[in-house]
Amino acid sequence: MIIAFVDCVGSTEHSERYGAQGVAAITETLEKFERALRGQSGILRLGSPMGDGLLLVGQDDDAVALLVRALDAQQEIPTVLPVRITLGIGDPAWINGPAWHPTSTVSGYVVNLVARLQSVCPSSGVAFDGGMYARLSEHPTLRRRAVAQQTALKGIAGTVTYWVIAREGGATMPSPTVPPAAVPAEVA
């Protein structure tokens, strides 16, 4: 499964400053991103928007298309706040029923990892795990643009290797923290 988190950066301050109009602007932004990311695929939103964010899930075969739609949305959708998107591939545990059930949700390592990647994803950027990076063999142009990073993340054992990418004119890209020879063999 592909797991995606969408987050409006700075939403608390924006909501406090602009009140109900600020909240409405954030909700509108999230709805636009949800439509753009779901496209014509089988991507599902789980639950209602979580204040300033969304949780989306889909099949692995939608992964590269989802990344392309995320980068396009970053460039094309006007927003009042920057939006960061994190992606990961794995096998989450379903809670309260299957994906199509209105009360279902997911849990597990990949969900936790994708949520924690929000803390290191640049504003208006996209960060993703090694499973997503491995899928980019289908899209060599994006694979070359992805910048490898390593860090410790709260709640995740060990050091995590992840990748960051943005459309031209989007997020400020970090300098690589992982030399190409150090990229794990299973994702190289």
Side-chain angles (χ1 to χ4, degrees):
M1 301 284 311
I2 179 91
I3 305 292
F5 276 97
V6 179
D7 178 59
C8 287
V9 180
S11 61
T12 301
E13 296 82 7
H14 187 78
S15 297
E16 288 172 356
R17 183 172 183 180
Y18 297 104
Q21 288 179 322
V23 172
I26 292 166
T27 302
E28 182 181 338
T29 296
L30 290 173
E31 288 171 353
K32 288 177 182 176
F33 269 82
E34 178 185 358
R35 284 191 300 274
L37 294 175
R38 289 179 70 184
Q40 300 300 313
S41 70
I43 301 292
L44 301 171
R45 181 186 81 200
L46 292 183
S48 0
M50 299 171 281
D52 66 345
L54 295 171
L55 169 61
L56 305 170
V57 298
Q59 295 301 316
D60 290 9
D61 54 357
D62 291 325
V64 173
L66 180 62
L67 175 60
V68 170
R69 286 194 302 272
L71 292 168
D72 288 345
Q74 291 285 28
Q75 184 171 324
E76 296 167 4
I77 297 174
T79 63
V80 293
L81 295 171
V83 174
R84 60 182 161 220
I85 301 168
T86 53
L87 307 168
I89 294 179
D91 293 316
W94 287 96
I95 300 170
N96 295 332
W100 51 265
H101 195 275
T103 62
S104 67
T105 190
V106 290
S107 184
Y109 176 81
V110 69
V111 177
N112 190 29
L113 174 63
V114 173
R116 299 300 182 181
L117 284 174
Q118 284 284 323
S119 69
V120 294
C121 184
S123 295
S124 301
V126 179
F128 48 90
D129 72 351
M132 184 69 225
Y133 183 76
R135 294 294 175 123
L136 290 184
S137 62
E138 306 163 22
H139 205 298
T141 303
L142 287 178
R143 189 174 175 109
R144 282 190 300 275
R145 289 183 41 217
V147 177
Q149 303 287 293
Q150 282 186 332
T151 193
L153 295 171
K154 181 180 176 183
I156 304 288
T159 300
V160 174
T161 301
Y162 65 98
W163 286 261
V164 177
I165 195 169
R167 282 280 186 215
E168 291 80 8
T172 302
M173 294 295 289
S175 299
T177 60
V178 182
V183 172
E186 66 273 8
V187 297

